[in-house]
Amino acid sequence: MPTLAEQGEKSRVTQETFNVFVSDKLDASGLRFLEQTNGIRVSNKPGLKGQELKDAIRGADAIIIRSETKVTREVIEAAVRLKIIGRAGVGVDNVDLEAATKRGIIVMNTPEGNTKSTAELTWSMILALSRKVPQAFVSLRQGEWKRSQFTGAELYRKAIGIIGFGRIGREVARFAAAFGMKVVVYDPFISAESVKQVNVTFAPLNDLLKQADYVTVHTPLTPETTNLIGKEQFALMKKGVRIVNCARGGIVNEEALLSALNEGRVAGAALDVFIEEPPKKDNPLLQHPAVIGTPHLGAATVEAQENVSLEVAEQVVDALFGKEIRNSVNIPSLDAESARVLRPWAVLTEKLGLLQAQLFEGDVKRVEIRYSGEVTAYKMAPLTAAFLKGLLSPMCGESVNFINAIPTARERGITIDESTTTATEDFANAVAVHVTTSSGTYFVMGTLFGNKEARIVRIGDYDMDAIPHGTVLAVTNDDKPGFIGEIGTILGKNGVNIAEMTLGRRQEGKTAFAMINVDGNVPAKVLEEIRTLKKVQAVKIVRF
Ligand code: NAD
Ligand code: MLT
């Protein structure tokens, strides 16, 4: 498949026409832009599913979606010419990113176009919840006049706990000042010093939960944020707390929320998003008198839809014509020659970042990334961006991409120190990274075998030869006979197949470090069983 720049060159010479398929209802601003662009043929057919969708996108060079179209592996396989998937909105959880990346398809989103609207919906929810506006209107419409039944709560001098202090969280905090509210924030990936906003107090999650009269979540849905607010967290909250979720269904555990409402600990909840969308009509949360809700309307304003529609259309056109790649969530932006050489290096550095993020603890303060060998003849910034994307994506989800990774890291107060040397040591070309966090400095190093296969060659003091692929068990263990057998037995009896394995140790009989690649996943109970082994000091799962 040609690179985008090569493709751009070709299209300038031959005036090639690109087919753009729009599969969800898109605001007219973006459609107009596409229709008026020379060399773009638009097909606007929202609502197709299954075989009809596959047939319709067979000849598409780009597809533009919102949240309804599920771009599954099968859809991607059917779209044989597909180069770009453009998402008008933030979340790309409706796209099989792995399948797209494997095919070299760029997936891009529009992370800023709906920030204001989502923050405004959050405040609509907080106000409506406090004053029971939806319930009161239903009663009024039934001919009732029950004023005392709808006595609400004032916001003035109350504490709002904001979980996730990114674009939307910050916007929500800005409005809180107008109501005279105290703002408590929890975001382990943002340092208090890097935040310019005044009147915001950073606190550990449990402290926030104990103080807040309102708890609102604004994180992406990731394995770490799934069930972030569950039974234990509700138990810490003040009696009478109100909960708002305008981020993603599943960040607040729905069963635990229902119990907390029934017990009276939670006075009310406002939900824009649900684990299952649309939720079943008999979903008990929707039947609960203290719950109000909207059908995923965070971005449903004229302005936000216009913004994301035009932004995605412009981004897709620029990328198709090889001009520029903006807001890609899966592929670095590179010119043709650099792309050919650097793409496998970018894959490696992103994996080094992912490894650092999942293996080590604490808030990241500093990244020192040193490139050595001939590869340094090229610009290294895209590789650093790829490293930071890997490092930040477990925290930021799909909103961090190759384009915004460096500014996002700086915004978080992370110092980036990039250096190059043509001198080589053990490897002809290598990337060595020290990451300093609030709990220490951690080191990893990687290289490419045969100029294409990523390898982790050092973790801390351990020399390794690890393949950063799929699911890996990272085990710190006593260097004693029998360890491999014991761990192999546990995995084997639970049907988890070992695909690859590498061991490093400092000194015979002391501590060793193993990276064990497995097929599929490692269930939590298997991980627990491994933890009980005497020779195991620590075990973590790293997902590449
Ligand atoms: P963002 O990336 O700017 O901010 C997300 C923040 O969450 C980051 O600061 C990150 O550090 C923080 N975070 C990540 N993991 C965390 C954790 N475990 N605990 C606490 N904080 C954590 O994203 P954004 O634009 O503010 O969007 C936030 C979410 O809102 C996204 O998931 C998006 O899908 C959702 N969203 C919903 C709607 C809607 O229609 N309801 C509209 C837009 C966005
Ligand atoms: C998003 O991720 O941008 C939001 O969920 C809004 C949407 O696309 O509906």
Side-chain angles (χ1 to χ4, degrees), residues 250-276:
I251 298 172
V252 178
N253 181 291
E254 291 184 357
E255 271 177 37
L257 173 62
L258 185 65
S259 306
L261 282 157
N262 288 336
E263 287 157 15
R265 177 165 296 278
V266 170
L271 307 173
D272 183 47
V273 285
F274 302 86
I275 293 173
E276 187 186 351

Side-chain angles (χ1 to χ4, degrees), residues 384-386 388-389 392 400-410 416:
T384 301
L388 291 167
K389 179 186 181 282
L392 296 174
V400 66
N401 57 38
F402 295 104
I403 313 298
N404 66 14
I406 293 177
T408 304
R410 293 214 168 103
I416 305 155

Side-chain angles (χ1 to χ4, degrees), residues 481-539:
F483 158 72
I484 309 278
E486 286 175 22
I487 211 161
T489 307
I490 294 178
L491 291 172
K493 79 176 180 202
N494 286 287
V496 180
N497 188 40
I498 297 179
E500 305 276 345
M501 165 156 173
T502 176
L503 275 165
R505 62 181 184 179
R506 291 183 191 123
Q507 207 187 325
E508 191 181 331
K510 300 281 185 201
T511 299
F513 187 74
M515 297 271 283
I516 304 169
N517 296 64
V518 297
D519 294 331
N521 228 329
V522 181
K525 73 171 182 56
V526 179
L527 198 62
E528 277 317 308
E529 199 175 339
I530 293 172
R531 279 205 179 102
T532 62
L533 292 177
K534 268 208 171 128
K535 298 182 187 92
V536 168
Q537 297 174 16
V539 57

Side-chain angles (χ1 to χ4, degrees), residues 66-67 87-93 114 118 247-248 273 296 298-299 305:
R66 282 178 57 200
S67 52
R87 160 75 156 103
V90 183
V92 285
D93 32 270
N114 59 32
T118 310
R248 278 291 182 272
V273 285
H296 202 142
Q305 286 312 310

Side-chain angles (χ1 to χ4, degrees), residues 90-91 93 111 114-115 118 121 163-170 186-190 217-222 224-225 228 245-248 251 272-273 296-300 394-400 412:
V90 183
D93 32 270
N114 59 32
T115 302
T118 310
L121 181 80
I163 300 176
F165 207 53
R167 294 180 186 88
I168 297 169
R170 286 173 202 214
Y186 167 69
D187 190 322
F189 310 111
I190 300 267
V217 292
H218 299 286
T219 69
L221 182 68
T222 64
E224 288 71 34
T225 60
L228 187 64
N245 186 359
C246 289
R248 278 291 182 272
I251 298 172
D272 183 47
V273 285
H296 202 142
L297 293 185
M395 317 153 200
C396 302
E398 56 266 348
S399 74
V400 66
R412 274 148 209 274

Side-chain angles (χ1 to χ4, degrees), residues 148-438:
S148 60
Q149 190 175 314
F150 298 113
T151 304
E154 201 168 71
L155 299 183
Y156 183 55
R157 289 193 175 150
K158 299 282 166 53
I160 179 165
I162 300 179
I163 300 176
F165 207 53
R167 294 180 186 88
I168 297 169
R170 286 173 202 214
E171 200 62 19
V172 168
R174 235 167 38 81
F175 290 116
F179 291 103
M181 294 182 85
K182 181 179 169 200
V183 182
V184 188
V185 164
Y186 167 69
D187 190 322
F189 310 111
I190 300 267
S191 65
E193 309 86 65
S194 70
V195 173
K196 289 176 193 72
Q197 235 154 332
V198 285
N199 301 333
V200 166
T201 310
F202 273 76
L205 180 60
N206 288 356
D207 291 0
L208 176 152
L209 297 174
K210 285 178 197 160
Q211 290 177 50
D213 300 290
Y214 293 80
V215 172
T216 180
V217 292
H218 299 286
T219 69
L221 182 68
T222 64
E224 288 71 34
T225 60
T226 301
N227 299 324
L228 187 64
I229 305 299
K231 194 174 170 208
E232 270 174 47
Q233 288 68 33
F234 282 115
L236 293 173
M237 293 184 198
K238 277 185 181 175
K239 191 166 162 45
V241 64
R242 289 176 172 83
I243 309 291
V244 180
N245 186 359
C246 289
R248 278 291 182 272
I251 298 172
V252 178
N253 181 291
E254 291 184 357
E255 271 177 37
L257 173 62
L258 185 65
S259 306
L261 282 157
N262 288 336
E263 287 157 15
R265 177 165 296 278
V266 170
L271 307 173
D272 183 47
V273 285
F274 302 86
I275 293 173
E276 187 186 351
E277 292 187 3
K280 296 235 160 53
K281 205 174 159 201
D282 60 357
N283 180 326
L285 277 173
L286 293 183
Q287 307 307 322
H288 199 285
V291 174
I292 64 169
T294 40
H296 202 142
L297 293 185
T301 62
V302 173
E303 293 80 0
Q305 286 312 310
E306 208 174 283
N307 292 343
V308 296
S309 169
L310 190 58
E311 281 168 25
V312 78
E314 289 175 347
Q315 287 177 198
V316 164
V317 166
D318 282 350
L320 281 173
F321 286 109
K323 278 193 201 156
E324 203 184 356
I325 302 168
R326 294 195 297 283
N327 296 323
S328 155
V329 300
N330 65 336
I331 287 172
S333 157
L334 298 169
D335 68 64
E337 163 61 5
S338 305
R340 189 185 58 74
V341 178
L342 292 185
R343 192 148 281 160
W345 284 97
V347 169
L348 169 72
T349 55
E350 184 179 358
K351 291 189 170 191
L352 288 174
L354 273 170
L355 178 71
Q356 289 269 17
Q358 296 174 81
L359 216 47
F360 304 129
E361 315 280 330
D363 289 357
V364 180
K365 309 275 181 209
R366 183 178 170 80
V367 169
E368 279 178 75
I369 183 158
R370 186 166 169 82
Y371 301 96
S372 58
E374 285 171 7
V375 68
T376 59
Y378 293 85
K379 269 205 301 204
M380 296 288 98
L383 304 192
T384 301
F387 175 82
L388 291 167
K389 179 186 181 282
L391 187 73
L392 296 174
S393 58
M395 317 153 200
C396 302
E398 56 266 348
S399 74
V400 66
N401 57 38
F402 295 104
I403 313 298
N404 66 14
I406 293 177
T408 304
R410 293 214 168 103
E411 196 178 75
R412 274 148 209 274
I414 300 173
T415 312
I416 305 155
D417 181 351
E418 180 190 298
S419 62
T420 57
T421 173
T422 45
T424 54
E425 287 176 13
D426 298 347
F427 299 92
N429 291 288
V431 186
V433 198
H434 286 91
V435 171
T436 303
T437 76
S438 45

